[in-house]
Amino acid sequence: MTNDSSPPFIHLRVKSAYSLAEGAIRVKDLVKLSAGLDMPAVALTDRGNLFGALEFAVTASKAGLQPVIGAVLGILRGKDERGSSIADPDHLLLLAQDKTGYENLMSLISEGYLLADGGDPAVAFDALTGRTEGLIALDGAGGSPLSRHLLDGSSMVETHLAAMKSLFDGRLYLELQRHGQSFERVLEPRVLKLATAHNLPIVATNDAHFSTGDQFDAHDVLSCIAQGVTLSHRDRKRLTPEHYFKTSQDMTRLFSDLPEAVENTWRIAQRCAVMPRLHDPILPAFDDGSGENEVQMLVRMAKEGLQQRLDALEPAPDAALEKTYRDRLDFELNVIEQMGFPGYFLIVADFIQWAKEQGIPVGPGRGSGAGSLVAYSLTITDLDPIPFNLLFERFLNPERVSMPDFDIDFCQDRRDEVIAYVRDKYGSDRVAQIITFGKLQARAVIRDVGRVLGIPYGQTDRISKAHPEQSGEPHHAWAKRSRVMSSCKRCSGRKNQSPSCSTSGLQLEGLYRNASTHAAGVVIGDRDLTKLVPLYKDPRSDMPATQFNMKWVEPAGLVKFDFLGLKTLTVIAEAERLIRRFKPDFDINRIPWTTTPVFDMLSRAESVGIFQLESTGMRDVLRKLRPDRFEDIIAVVALYRPGPMENIPTYISRKHGDETVVYLHPLLEPIVQETYGIMIYQEQVMQAAQALAGYSLGGADLLRRAMGKKLKEEMDKQKALFVEGAAEERDSGEKGAGDLYPDRGLCRLWL
């Protein structure tokens, strides 16, 4: 607060990192800045988009700040003499004051992208008609429609202002800025004159692009990267050191002659009381014309499908095994119904079955979804989870309430046909891809900065290679960066530029550079998607995408489906086609998993072109392993990754009898016997927690997830639960985990 008698200045014009290569303030940093300066509210107003709206709203509200949702909307300036849209649109600042305003803002911003045709997202001025309710407009600052008319001496000033007053009745403010730019000094008296003549309120804004004044140089470099020019380029667009996130005191002093302009920022923030809603998952209703509800459809289709699977089993299952299948199916169906996901399974089964009917190769299934017998019965997957002891709880369980997520592979050449089917079935306005953002990565940004500074490539390349490859490195990597920056001072000939190269690179690293679409993610809604999320359009795609990324699209209410294009499936399909020229009845799915020639081939490391088995390192492992069962292939694929691969020599030695198989605890023997005493799979972790500490499989899945994501706080919590559960198992008379290590307790097992 500035003082007890006057309201504070509220930032109403802030460009975050989501103003791609233009803003340099990360959303979390914006919230920290505002909270640290005791500002009760702050706006996010990225240029032409709402990419960060939901993330910002949730983050700000958790910090006790009032989020003000807005955007700078591009307004087309009309056509040139050739009938083409004038390249540079005007920019109008809009703030949502209620739910209707937010929905109108999403609609306008979406239209700006959907009709952009590769240019800057913008809408015609007429597009505002009927879509301004609940929106506050700020006009008059540099780049706005009103400022253009004023600076051009246009006769359209009064006409434009009359239209704006009509569209934003009681919600139009004339905007003033003081960043020390010459055009601002020309504009201000003209805007003030209009405000007086038309009895319109004025408001002071600060066009914040970076957090503090000392970040100006780095931001100037970012601007050059975006424009593809160097710092020495004369005609480039540039800001001033004043475009930083000013304090309330700064702005009060700056506009001490117009205190009402500062006070109106507070009044506008008070008018804006909208919070983007978080929704539970929303799916379109599924109807196959049978008259059944979704639960009835799923139960019928799953039981019919299981019977077909059982009929095809060789040898035919006995009564006990058949009961195992049916009991498991009933259990899964009950969980799916309880969690409200029958529609999800039906939707996925429908487009996979359609793809198979069209002869489009579909992957057999992978990831946690392969543990579902319902999925196997519906032909979503073609892997029987029973013989491989795959656990449904890893995929779906009531103790970890989250959406199921099938990773589905389609033939790369025909994947788009499946997506087109889904769009036709549910409506093109209800299906979209998901946006993703490219970042300025650690080494690449150094090279970008070097080009902007005009440093010779060889020197820039040397600086770049001295930095760690990725963002988010551990502490020792950051120490290395400090040493690199120090060493750069000794680079001959460019002593003043090399440190600047590293310093700017570190400040810009991780900022968003560009937007594109996720390789696989697709959302399907039950309504026009712009009612839930704003839409983006990649110029290279015919299909829209959500403006919220993978992390935030689901809290907005949309369910993600993965349509992965896999080249291997295309290769297999072509191989089958060629083989059928000589063997018309050939079907790759009928090749037994015990076929000896296949294992002989793999033992000779003849695996070039085989998915996940073709790298030089993997072929070396295959020579030593000499696999003779399918389980060996599963194990080696799971082990061949950083960390677990340390166990590969032990697995090979134990398989060939060169090393004795050791079990950490007798209760683990039936769980890890197949893998020679080595815990390889996530299912084994879950089963171990169940056997040693009495976990339910649902609870064990929480442990598995915490381990996989390296969540320390959750791991500390799980350790306490594990130790307590193991002690109870021991005290109950069972052969618990504490029996083996009575002195050291369960810590060794835990670690």
Side-chain angles (χ1 to χ4, degrees):
M1 296 280 185
T2 54
N3 57 59
D4 293 335
S5 61
S6 61
F9 169 80
I10 303 296
H11 276 279
L12 298 178
R13 186 186 276 269
V14 179
K15 290 185 174 67
S16 76
Y18 284 112
S19 288
L20 306 178
E22 182 178 352
I25 307 176
R26 296 167 177 84
V27 166
K28 63 180 181 180
D29 293 336
L30 172 59
V31 172
K32 287 180 181 178
L33 272 172
S34 304
L37 295 174
D38 292 328
M39 292 180 173
V42 65
L44 179 66
T45 57
D46 283 310
R47 180 179 171 184
N49 72 70
L50 290 165
F51 295 158
L54 185 57
E55 176 186 351
F56 164 68
V58 171
T59 306
S61 61
K62 284 182 178 178
L65 292 172
Q66 176 190 334
V68 177
I69 306 298
V72 178
L73 178 68
I75 303 292
L76 295 172
R77 293 167 54 183
K79 307 286 185 178
D80 59 21
E81 61 276 6
R82 293 173 297 179
S84 301
S85 297
I86 297 175
D88 294 326
D90 294 324
H91 292 98
L92 182 66
L93 178 58
L94 299 177
L95 303 173
Q97 69 174 30
D98 54 28
K99 179 176 179 288
T100 300
Y102 179 62
E103 290 177 351
N104 280 331
L105 186 59
M106 284 198 294
S107 175
L108 289 166
I109 290 293
S110 298
E111 182 174 312
Y113 271 106
L114 297 179
L115 301 181
D117 195 26
D120 287 342
V123 299
F125 187 83
D126 291 345
L128 294 172
T129 303
R131 287 190 280 185
T132 59
E133 182 182 351
L135 287 173
I136 293 173
L138 276 61
D139 199 356
S144 69
L146 179 59
S147 71
R148 177 170 58 85
H149 292 313
L150 287 171
L151 292 174
D152 290 348
S154 169
S155 60
M156 293 295 294
V157 170
E158 292 295 332
T159 302
H160 169 76
L161 205 54
M164 289 293 292
K165 289 170 67 176
S166 175
L167 289 167
F168 299 93
D169 186 17
R171 292 171 281 111
L172 174 64
Y173 291 76
L174 298 189
E175 188 178 4
L176 302 174
Q177 294 180 348
R178 293 176 177 176
H179 301 100
Q181 294 172 298
S182 58
F183 70 83
E184 292 174 341
R185 290 188 287 272
V186 174
L187 269 176
E188 185 171 306
R190 300 178 187 182
V191 171
L192 289 173
K193 183 178 179 180
L194 282 176
T196 301
H198 292 269
N199 194 28
L200 289 171
I202 58 174
V203 60
T205 66
N206 181 65
D207 193 11
H209 285 67
F210 42 94
S211 300
T212 59
D214 59 7
Q215 292 180 342
F216 168 70
D217 288 339
H219 183 272
D220 204 28
V221 170
L222 176 68
S223 179
C224 289
I225 292 173
Q227 297 174 60
V229 299
T230 65
L231 279 176
S232 60
H233 197 279
R234 289 186 176 182
D235 297 327
R236 65 183 177 88
K237 297 177 182 177
R238 64 181 71 197
L239 298 179
T240 74
E242 296 301 312
H243 284 79
Y244 71 94
F245 192 87
K246 290 185 171 70
T247 67
S248 182
Q249 292 85 352
D250 289 337
M251 291 300 292
T252 300
R253 284 193 296 268
L254 187 61
F255 283 89
S256 59
D257 58 322
L258 295 172
E260 68 273 24
V262 173
E263 293 171 5
N264 279 337
T265 65
W266 165 261
R267 295 189 178 95
I268 290 173
Q270 284 185 311
R271 296 180 70 175
C272 296
V274 59
M275 175 73 185
R277 288 184 59 191
L278 300 179
H279 289 269
D280 290 332
I282 301 172
L283 281 168
F286 186 85
D287 184 4
D288 67 351
S290 65
E292 299 171 307
N293 62 38
E294 291 181 341
V295 173
Q296 292 168 333
M297 273 187 279
L298 181 64
V299 170
R300 171 178 56 79
M301 292 168 63
K303 290 187 174 182
E304 291 175 356
L306 177 61
Q307 187 59 56
Q308 293 173 10
R309 294 289 197 183
L310 292 175
D311 291 343
L313 279 182
E314 295 180 2
D318 58 23
L321 181 57
E322 189 167 328
K323 184 176 186 302
T324 298
Y325 276 95
R326 297 195 187 283
D327 288 347
R328 168 73 171 263
L329 189 77
D330 289 341
F331 164 73
E332 290 190 16
L333 287 170
N334 286 333
V335 171
I336 294 167
E337 179 182 358
Q338 175 186 341
M339 297 185 70
F341 297 138
Y344 178 86
F345 279 78
L346 292 170
I347 290 170
V348 175
D350 175 68
F351 64 69
I352 287 182
Q353 290 169 5
W354 179 88
K356 291 178 178 179
E357 289 169 0
Q358 308 308 308
I360 299 173
V362 182
R366 58 185 173 87
S368 60
S372 170
L373 186 63
V374 170
Y376 180 62
S377 301
L378 295 174
T379 68
I380 292 173
T381 63
D382 288 313
L383 290 170
D384 187 343
I386 300 299
F388 293 104
N389 205 21
L390 300 180
L391 304 178
F392 176 68
E393 287 83 356
R394 182 183 155 197
F395 179 59
L396 194 66
N397 72 75
E399 295 182 58
R400 177 177 59 88
V401 180
S402 61
M403 282 298 301
D405 188 11
F406 286 110
D407 295 321
I408 307 161
D409 297 309
F410 294 98
C411 165
Q412 189 176 56
D413 291 347
R414 302 187 65 187
R415 165 184 175 268
D416 290 346
E417 293 179 42
V418 188
I419 296 176
Y421 166 76
V422 170
R423 295 188 75 191
D424 289 342
K425 185 177 182 68
Y426 298 102
S428 59
D429 61 336
R430 302 182 178 196
V431 179
Q433 294 176 294
I434 300 173
I435 201 169
T436 186
F437 300 100
K439 292 184 177 181
L440 291 163
Q441 297 291 0
R443 291 185 174 180
V445 73
I446 295 293
R447 295 188 178 94
D448 284 330
V449 173
R451 282 194 295 271
V452 168
L453 296 178
I455 301 176
Y457 178 79
Q459 184 177 339
T460 305
D461 187 58
R462 191 162 58 251
I463 299 170
S464 173
K465 288 178 179 177
H467 284 68
E469 292 188 17
Q470 297 295 333
S471 308
E473 305 288 351
H475 178 73
H476 65 80
W478 286 98
K480 178 181 179 183
R481 292 174 184 227
S482 297
R483 292 194 298 273
V484 169
M485 290 170 64
S486 297
S487 68
C488 286
K489 296 177 182 178
R490 299 191 293 272
C491 291
S492 61
R494 299 275 179 173
K495 291 182 179 180
N496 63 326
Q497 289 187 345
S498 295
S500 177
C501 181
S502 286
T503 302
S504 296
L506 290 176
Q507 290 182 354
L508 300 180
E509 180 185 341
L511 293 177
Y512 298 125
R513 179 179 200 144
N514 62 282
S516 58
T517 52
H518 190 273
V522 173
V523 294
I524 305 173
D526 71 335
R527 65 197 76 179
D528 184 334
L529 293 180
T530 57
K531 300 295 183 183
L532 295 170
V533 296
L535 296 181
Y536 163 79
K537 182 75 158 41
D538 189 323
R540 297 162 296 183
S541 173
D542 294 330
M543 187 175 173
T546 63
Q547 286 195 24
F548 298 160
N549 66 13
M550 193 75 75
K551 179 178 179 180
W552 292 100
V553 73
E554 291 188 344
L558 294 175
V559 178
K560 174 180 70 71
F561 298 82
D562 282 330
F563 292 73
L564 297 154
L566 187 62
K567 183 178 180 181
T568 306
L569 289 173
T570 308
V571 172
I572 291 172
E574 179 63 12
E576 282 191 282
R577 186 187 68 80
L578 294 173
I579 292 171
R580 289 191 186 115
R581 292 166 59 184
F582 307 98
K583 293 186 177 182
D585 60 345
F586 177 79
D587 183 352
I588 194 171
N589 294 314
R590 294 179 184 173
I591 298 176
W593 288 358
T594 56
T595 302
T596 301
V598 173
F599 294 110
D600 292 341
M601 179 190 74
L602 294 176
S603 296
R604 295 191 300 270
E606 296 173 0
S607 58
V608 174
I610 299 178
F611 185 54
Q612 294 191 325
L613 298 180
E614 63 180 330
S615 69
T616 301
M618 179 63 88
R619 282 184 282 142
D620 183 56
V621 170
L622 291 173
R623 288 189 191 95
K624 297 173 182 177
L625 177 64
R626 301 193 303 276
D628 56 8
R629 57 180 188 144
F630 190 66
E631 287 77 5
D632 286 337
I633 306 302
I634 301 171
V636 77
V637 169
L639 285 170
Y640 197 81
R641 62 195 68 200
M645 67 192 315
E646 296 175 2
N647 289 311
I648 291 177
T650 302
Y651 184 92
I652 293 173
S653 295
R654 291 182 178 183
K655 173 179 174 59
H656 297 311
D658 299 329
E659 180 181 322
T660 303
V661 176
V662 177
Y663 301 102
L664 190 59
H665 190 283
L667 290 175
L668 296 178
E669 181 172 353
I671 297 171
V672 295
Q673 186 176 42
E674 172 189 298
T675 54
Y676 306 107
I678 303 169
M679 195 170 293
I680 296 177
Y681 309 123
Q682 296 186 39
E683 284 83 359
Q684 290 174 322
V685 171
M686 295 169 64
Q687 290 171 315
Q690 184 183 46
L692 296 174
Y695 275 69
S696 67
L697 286 176
D701 180 64
L702 297 176
L703 167 61
R704 171 203 66 80
R705 182 174 179 273
M707 289 175 63
K709 294 186 176 292
K710 298 179 176 62
L711 306 173
K712 185 180 184 304
E713 184 177 343
E714 180 64 20
M715 283 297 292
D716 291 341
K717 175 183 174 182
Q718 290 294 333
K719 178 178 179 179
L721 293 173
F722 184 93
V723 172
E724 180 183 351
E728 289 179 0
E729 290 288 303
R730 178 191 60 198
D731 294 341
S732 69
E734 300 290 334
K735 188 176 181 181
D739 297 334
L740 191 58
Y741 300 104
D743 297 327
R744 286 171 287 178
L746 301 169
C747 291
R748 178 172 175 184
L749 281 172
W750 178 260
L751 296 173

